[in-house]
Amino acid sequence: MEGSLTARDRVGIQDFVLLDAYTSETAFMDNLRKRFNENLIYTYIGTLLVSVNPYKELGIYTKKQMDIYMGVNFFELPPHIFALADNVYRTMISETSNHFILISGESGAGKTEASKKVLQFYAVCCPSTRLLDNVRDRLLLSNPVLEAFGNAKTLKNDNSSRFGKYMDIQFDHQGAAVGGHVLSYLLEKSRVVHQNHGERNFHIFYQLVEGGEDELLRWLGLERNCQNYRFLIQGECAKVSSINDKSDWKTVQKALIIIEFSEKDIERWNTFFCFLFLHFLCFRNPCLCSIYHFQVLSPFTAEHAKYARDALAKAIYGRTFSWLVCMVTWNLQNLLFIKTVIGLLDIYGFEVFDMNSFEQFCINFCNEKLQQLFIQLTLKSEQEEYEMEGIEWEPVPYFNNKIICDLVEEKHRGIISILDEECLRPGEATDFTFLEKLEEKMCGHPHFVTHKLADQKTRKTLERGEFRLLHYAGEVTYSVAGKLFNVATQFKSSLAGLTEILMTKEPWYVRCLKPNHCKQPDRFDDVMVRHQVKYLGLMEHLRVRRAGFAYRRRYEVFLKRYKALCPDTWPHWKGTPAEGVQRLIKHLGYKPDEYKMGRTKIFIRHPRTLFAIEDAFEICKHELGKGPVTSDKRGLIETCWRGLQARKERERRAWAVKVIKKFIKGFMNRNQPVSMDNSEYLAFVRQSYLTRLKDNLPKSVLDKTTWLTPPPIMQEASVFLRKLHTRLLLRKYVRGISSQQKVQLQIKALTSDIFRGRKENYPQSICQPFADTRISEKDINIKVLQQICPEGIKYSVPVIKYDRNGFRPRFRQLIFTQAAAYLVEEAKIKQRVNYSSLKGAQCPINSKSMIVFDIQPGKEGFVDFKSSSEAMVYRTKNGHLMVVGPHNAIVNSRDKS
């Protein structure tokens, strides 16, 4: 409440529920305009927050502002997005319940910014540790990634969300944000292939072209010029002064790393940009003959080729976006420590264009369903509060839009069901056969009209390929031309899933308004704002929220604020808060029809009654501070202050004694079954162990010693957590290795199976990285390849041959085919050994540092081994071949021989 009556006249009322003429749309608009002119962009309707986009910086989102609104009573300070976010958070913590914030409004009203402010507030107000800071960064940086792929410049907004987003912020038992989960709805895929004049494609394309590294663009075959790509220039505004695509590209790349996208993931989504090259598709393949193994190719007409190209482009983008959302969720979600969630739903609002497509039909239907849910939940919560407080509920007249929802989604009779039937029926279904079926089924419906069904006057405003729906927010005309898709049922199902999610949570609302079309500060367009107030259902909500009483507060809060107005309640009231409020309003002279006493709250019917007590309180505050400060008065103030401090200290000490006693009792009973005596102590032990564990987790899968020894109560949980952590380390390791490393690991695993239990130094050799020395066919001389390729090359590796005389090294290639082994020197095959001629090999070992082998009958050769940091091979004075190298390498080579 903004102080005195004079201030209220100037800046308006901060809660529309306190409007005397609450049924008057004019009074509503006057109050909204007053506040906007004073840069007060937020106003409440009860707990609903109305936000008007100021189109300028107001300096009201600083860290200092966050601190001011943290932990403060919802109505104690002026309305703010931080106040709503804080109240949702504290209610979630105190009641251990799930909540969601529905942010709605048309494009450019500030929905995306509102959701960002909520996320930023939780990032600051929640408990903070190194691990939780990482989670917070991932939550915040998921926004620029999703905006890059899902947002675009439109005529109404330079950063317009062209998809609906629902995000769950996941909290643990301490109220710390530990993860998130993202769902997307209604991606505007048509924007990929077509943009209106003055609009752009999705941001990511321009970010890539402007900010992508030269090497990446070369790899993708792209040029740093948007004008070369038809999909990017149809709106003729590739460059936008308010957008820095080059800087935004760097932000997205940084965000992908922090969200923990692997290099392979980033490479995968980079490749999808190649569809910028899509030209006309020239043929279609309607059938494939499996008997004669030939394809039937049918040439496209120019129109069909264009349609097929656009359909493919939209499908590629749609699937890429779905994959991206899944990957963001995969890297955000925490399945282990979730206790409660706060959902954020940011979805574009009800809109009407000159040409409204099938996508707009889906968007408006979504808003129709959300309006239905909005009224249902608001009515439900109001009725429940009245019933809990023992106050008689007064029925509220409102427009029930169920008739419109049924018109669209009713089984067998709704528009979506008729569309499905038309797509699946035998024969050729067209847009106009669908329209004829609608006219047959919907004839006489009060919210549906076509050119054929309309009266003479309305018929002039409708084309033959259009139908008009009378939504709760107004009339919208939709075109059926070229929009006959069989996807409506899928959309209806996803919308039903979203509704189901929302129905399990407590609702909070932010309604965003645009003050003008030009995005200019300090300009308030009455006609435009009035239209938004209508289709956002704000007057409807206000009527429901009033429901007879303009104001309700808990007795403790009401008495604490206004107790100075009654001598009996000031400065201290000894009885119950309800009795104190009763004494206070009796002193103020309230009449019986002005208020009701509930079980825990006082309900005041008229705003003027509340304003009277508020103005009296403002005067009273000044009276209390007036007059000379005598020694008696100074002494009284000092005594009161010391008394207050002493009472606070006594309460603090009493609380500390209680906690210490409970801790000692819990420690003494720590080995007993869980009971009232030890439950809190055991909870402390669990929390303490988990806190220490998170800072001492093994960094490697091979680290078997770091894991903390758990207390008895955490033995089972520790085993489970250790398995989960090992799986996490394995997942990170596997996702971080290249495809070449994966092949090496497979070979190493196969080798391990062969040598396990058969090799003396197996435990020492298993931890050594496997070196893949295989050579590819392109490294083999073409002449050699032509001779041996028909036999089928199975394995090839570079080797060194040492001469019998002098042991001089000769570089060779050892190649194994299906039939024989070849020793190759450049373009010559030096030796071919048929497998069938091999009788075996014998390499007797007469010491651990020597190998003896037969050179020829009656003559032996010797190989000596020696350990050293430097590897070399040479002939010794005694004629032996000396191999020098690291100990493991020598042991391995000796074992393999």
Side-chain angles (χ1 to χ4, degrees):
M1 200 159 309
E2 273 86 359
S4 68
L5 181 61
T6 307
R8 286 195 296 274
D9 280 343
R10 181 172 57 84
V11 303
I13 297 168
Q14 69 178 29
D15 190 342
F16 282 111
V17 173
L18 299 178
L19 278 176
D20 252 335
Y22 69 93
T23 59
S24 167
E25 194 174 275
T26 302
F28 189 100
M29 292 294 297
D30 287 344
N31 192 63
L32 201 62
R33 189 188 309 101
K34 280 181 184 177
R35 297 183 63 76
F36 179 79
N37 290 337
E38 295 294 328
N39 289 325
L40 298 171
I41 63 169
Y42 293 120
T43 313
Y44 292 136
I45 305 179
T47 55
L48 178 146
L49 182 69
V50 179
S51 170
V52 186
N53 195 337
Y55 293 123
K56 64 180 178 181
E57 289 294 330
L58 296 177
I60 59 174
Y61 303 109
T62 61
K63 172 65 167 59
K64 183 179 178 181
Q65 286 287 322
M66 291 185 187
D67 293 337
I68 290 173
Y69 279 92
M70 223 177 281
V72 178
N73 185 282
F74 188 52
F75 296 102
E76 194 170 319
L77 294 172
H80 201 289
I81 188 78
F82 291 160
L84 181 94
D86 179 71
N87 204 38
V88 176
Y89 178 72
R90 287 191 293 112
T91 306
M92 178 197 72
I93 296 295
S94 62
E95 298 179 359
T96 319
S97 55
N98 296 325
H99 298 254
F100 76 90
I101 303 173
L102 172 58
I103 304 172
S104 58
E106 71 172 63
S107 180
K111 302 186 301 299
T112 302
E113 287 302 311
S115 64
K116 285 182 186 177
K117 300 307 179 195
V118 173
L119 276 175
Q120 289 168 3
F121 181 82
Y122 291 146
V124 171
C125 80
C126 295
S128 178
T129 64
R130 181 165 53 84
L131 176 64
L132 296 177
D133 286 347
N134 186 28
V135 172
R136 176 201 65 194
D137 291 341
R138 280 192 247 167
L139 283 169
L140 292 175
L141 287 172
S142 65
N143 259 329
V145 174
L146 294 175
E147 284 182 10
F149 280 84
N151 288 25
K153 183 212 179 300
T154 66
L155 293 174
K156 297 185 177 182
N157 183 5
D158 287 352
N159 186 34
S160 176
S161 296
R162 307 320 297 160
F163 73 106
K165 180 181 72 174
Y166 176 79
M167 171 185 278
D168 269 337
I169 309 168
Q170 301 165 339
F171 298 88
D172 66 7
H173 67 287
Q174 290 184 314
V178 294
H181 185 275
V182 182
L183 295 173
S184 66
Y185 300 90
L186 291 172
L187 176 68
E188 188 188 34
K189 291 182 287 189
S190 60
R191 180 167 296 273
V192 175
V193 297
H194 174 74
Q195 306 94 46
N196 294 323
H197 184 76
E199 298 192 347
R200 298 205 312 177
N201 209 319
F202 292 101
H203 292 323
I204 190 64
F205 297 117
Y206 307 94
Q207 292 174 4
L208 170 69
V209 174
E210 292 294 327
E213 298 75 10
D214 292 337
E215 184 181 347
L216 174 61
L217 292 179
R218 278 197 302 271
W219 181 62
L220 294 173
L222 298 176
E223 299 177 10
R224 201 178 295 283
N225 186 354
C226 293
Q227 301 301 319
N228 294 341
Y229 307 104
R230 179 182 173 277
F231 283 163
L232 305 186
I233 59 171
Q234 295 176 62
E236 298 181 1
C237 63
K239 300 277 188 183
V240 181
S241 60
S242 63
I243 299 175
N244 188 332
D245 292 310
K246 190 172 184 178
S247 173
D248 291 344
W249 171 262
K250 292 179 181 177
T251 302
V252 170
Q253 299 304 301
K254 177 186 174 184
L256 289 170
I257 293 170
I258 292 177
I259 299 174
E260 295 188 354
F261 271 61
S262 67
E263 289 185 11
K264 188 173 182 180
D265 291 333
I266 296 174
E267 181 179 313
R268 186 180 298 163
W269 69 257
N270 273 339
T271 55
F272 103 95
F273 290 115
C274 296
F275 85 76
L276 288 174
F277 285 120
L278 280 178
H279 304 305
F280 285 96
L281 302 178
C282 299
F283 297 93
R284 66 189 178 102
N285 181 11
C287 64
L288 175 67
C289 183
S290 59
I291 299 177
Y292 299 103
H293 306 288
F294 66 85
Q295 294 181 342
V296 178
L297 296 179
S298 174
F300 273 134
T301 64
E303 187 63 28
H304 284 152
K306 177 179 177 295
Y307 178 83
R309 178 202 63 192
D310 291 352
L312 177 60
K314 289 189 287 186
I316 292 173
Y317 196 87
R319 293 195 177 194
T320 302
F321 187 79
S322 297
W323 172 82
L324 180 75
V325 172
C326 288
M327 290 302 299
V328 169
T329 292
W330 176 259
N331 289 308
L332 282 181
Q333 65 183 352
N334 185 324
L335 302 178
L336 189 59
F337 299 111
I338 305 171
K339 187 172 185 183
T340 50
V341 301
I342 294 177
L344 280 176
L345 179 59
D346 172 7
I347 197 160
Y348 34 58
F350 184 94
E351 289 182 313
V352 184
F353 299 100
D354 294 334
M355 177 65 73
N356 298 285
S357 65
F358 179 80
E359 283 180 335
Q360 195 59 43
F361 169 78
C362 291
I363 291 167
N364 288 349
F365 170 56
C366 178
N367 278 271
E368 196 79 57
K369 285 292 289 183
L370 290 175
Q371 172 69 7
Q372 185 185 35
L373 179 70
F374 170 61
I375 294 296
Q376 285 177 349
L377 293 178
T378 304
L379 274 172
K380 179 173 175 284
S381 62
E382 284 294 302
Q383 285 179 318
E384 285 177 352
E385 181 175 28
Y386 276 56
E387 288 169 7
M388 267 193 316
E389 294 295 327
I391 305 294
E392 185 180 352
W393 171 255
E394 300 179 9
V396 180
Y398 70 96
F399 171 63
N400 188 343
N401 67 333
K402 183 178 184 300
I403 185 174
I404 305 173
C405 294
D406 289 344
L407 170 66
V408 177
E409 67 176 349
E410 190 177 7
K411 283 186 178 180
H412 310 302
R413 292 179 54 83
I415 293 174
I416 293 177
S417 294
I418 295 171
L419 178 58
D420 283 344
E421 289 176 12
E422 193 64 14
C423 290
L424 296 174
R425 72 172 176 82
E428 185 177 356
T430 68
D431 305 320
F432 290 97
T433 59
F434 165 58
L435 187 60
E436 289 172 2
K437 199 67 172 285
L438 283 180
E439 290 171 337
E440 178 186 332
K441 294 272 189 175
M442 304 297 176
C443 182
H445 196 288
H447 291 269
F448 177 88
V449 66
T450 65
H451 184 275
K452 179 180 177 181
L453 300 178
D455 57 36
Q456 196 67 32
K457 182 179 179 182
T458 308
R459 190 171 294 172
K460 295 177 181 178
T461 64
L462 276 168
E463 298 293 334
R464 295 189 181 277
E466 296 176 341
F467 66 91
R468 182 173 295 166
L469 294 187
L470 278 66
H471 289 279
Y472 76 95
E475 299 179 351
V476 186
T477 303
Y478 300 102
S479 172
V480 298
K483 302 300 177 187
L484 188 56
F485 304 123
N486 190 18
V487 295
T489 299
Q490 181 183 352
F491 164 68
K492 187 177 77 171
S493 299
S494 65
L495 188 57
L498 174 63
T499 304
E500 190 174 332
I501 290 172
L502 299 182
M503 288 295 285
T504 62
K505 298 176 174 61
E506 295 297 319
W508 303 76
Y509 306 99
V510 178
R511 294 291 196 245
C512 300
L513 302 174
K514 287 174 62 174
N516 60 75
H517 279 299
C518 310
K519 295 179 274 192
Q520 292 181 355
D522 306 317
R523 179 176 173 183
F524 191 90
D525 185 330
D526 273 69
V527 175
M528 180 179 175
V529 176
R530 191 182 298 268
H531 177 65
Q532 294 172 80
V533 166
K534 179 183 178 183
Y535 75 64
L536 286 173
L538 298 185
M539 295 301 297
E540 215 102 61
H541 183 80
L542 175 56
R543 283 196 291 272
V544 171
R545 187 63 177 78
R546 272 293 287 265
F549 293 92
Y551 175 90
R552 74 285 305 264
R553 286 293 181 275
R554 296 188 67 84
Y555 292 134
E556 298 88 345
V557 176
F558 188 85
L559 183 63
K560 182 179 178 181
R561 183 169 181 83
Y562 299 118
K563 64 181 180 180
L565 297 177
C566 174
D568 295 338
T569 56
W570 175 260
H572 303 297
W573 172 252
K574 304 298 184 183
T576 65
E579 291 168 344
V581 171
Q582 188 73 58
R583 184 71 59 88
L584 173 60
I585 59 177
K586 183 178 180 181
H587 175 78
L588 294 172
Y590 278 22
K591 297 176 181 177
D593 64 339
E594 289 184 304
Y595 74 98
K596 289 283 185 183
M597 298 289 287
R599 294 187 176 95
T600 64
K601 297 178 182 178
I602 178 173
F603 289 72
I604 295 178
R605 188 175 297 278
H606 306 297
R608 59 179 178 272
T609 307
L610 181 66
F611 292 150
I613 191 175
E614 184 65 25
D615 290 336
F617 176 62
E618 288 292 323
I619 295 170
C620 178
K621 282 196 296 186
H622 293 293
E623 291 295 331
L624 289 173
K626 281 183 180 179
V629 182
T630 62
S631 58
D632 290 342
K633 197 168 189 178
R634 187 181 297 110
L636 177 62
I637 294 173
E638 184 178 353
T639 302
C640 288
W641 176 251
R642 288 181 181 275
L644 176 64
Q645 294 298 99
R647 284 191 295 276
K648 284 185 177 179
E649 179 64 17
R650 184 186 65 186
E651 291 173 0
R652 190 186 68 80
R653 290 187 178 186
W655 173 82
V657 169
K658 185 179 178 182
V659 170
I660 293 171
K661 281 183 177 179
K662 206 159 193 175
F663 186 87
I664 294 172
K665 198 170 185 179
F667 176 78
M668 295 171 64
N669 293 278
R670 64 189 182 281
N671 296 322
Q672 302 299 321
V674 179
S675 64
M676 292 291 292
D677 293 333
N678 64 7
S679 61
E680 290 190 20
Y681 176 79
L682 293 178
F684 167 78
V685 169
R686 286 192 291 268
Q687 180 182 336
S688 176
Y689 174 70
L690 292 173
T691 303
R692 287 185 294 113
L693 180 63
K694 74 178 175 60
D695 295 323
N696 295 278
L697 291 169
K699 301 294 189 296
S700 166
V701 178
L702 300 177
D703 184 355
K704 305 295 183 183
T705 60
T706 302
W707 197 265
L708 293 180
T709 303
I713 194 173
M714 292 297 290
Q715 290 280 2
E716 186 178 348
S718 176
V719 173
F720 176 68
L721 289 172
R722 192 166 189 173
K723 287 180 180 177
L724 281 179
H725 184 67
T726 302
R727 287 175 62 186
L728 175 64
L729 291 175
L730 283 169
R731 173 172 162 260
K732 285 185 177 179
Y733 177 76
V734 170
R735 292 182 64 183
I737 63 177
S738 64
S739 57
Q740 184 180 1
Q741 288 174 312
K742 286 183 180 178
V743 173
Q744 292 176 356
L745 284 174
Q746 290 170 353
I747 297 174
K748 188 174 179 72
L750 179 61
T751 309
S752 174
D753 292 338
I754 295 172
F755 287 102
R756 188 187 296 115
R758 303 177 185 177
K759 183 176 174 184
E760 181 182 346
N761 71 317
Y762 176 81
Q764 292 80 26
S765 66
I766 192 65
C767 60
Q768 299 297 319
F770 189 90
D772 185 6
T773 56
R774 181 180 301 202
I775 60 176
S776 63
E777 291 186 5
K778 67 180 180 181
D779 298 318
I780 302 172
N781 187 274
I782 188 66
K783 292 182 180 179
V784 174
L785 202 61
Q786 288 173 348
Q787 295 180 58
I788 66 176
C789 202
E791 295 182 13
I793 296 176
K794 292 299 182 182
Y795 187 80
S796 52
V797 64
V799 296
I800 298 176
K801 172 185 179 292
Y802 293 96
D803 289 348
R804 292 177 180 145
N805 298 318
F807 295 119
R808 286 192 299 273
R810 308 289 188 188
F811 292 95
R812 301 284 190 267
Q813 291 179 338
L814 181 61
I815 303 173
F816 296 95
T817 69
Q818 190 70 35
Y822 291 85
L823 197 63
V824 175
E825 180 186 11
E826 296 181 352
K828 297 178 182 178
I829 297 177
K830 303 291 290 185
Q831 190 175 359
R832 182 182 189 274
V833 180
N834 286 321
Y835 298 144
S836 59
S837 66
L838 291 176
K839 303 300 182 181
Q842 188 175 12
C843 297
I845 302 176
N846 57 8
S847 76
K848 290 189 176 180
S849 60
M850 181 186 295
I851 291 178
V852 183
F853 57 95
D854 291 332
I855 295 177
Q856 52 183 297
K859 187 175 182 181
E860 294 181 330
F862 301 88
V863 182
D864 294 333
F865 296 93
K866 185 168 70 174
S867 297
S868 175
S869 59
E870 185 178 357
M872 64 181 71
V873 178
Y874 60 91
R875 186 178 185 183
T876 60
K877 292 180 180 179
N878 61 7
H880 294 189
L881 179 67
M882 176 62 72
V883 179
V884 182
H887 173 72
N888 284 340
I890 290 177
V891 172
N892 286 346
S893 65
R894 195 169 60 237
D895 287 350
K896 289 175 183 177
S897 68

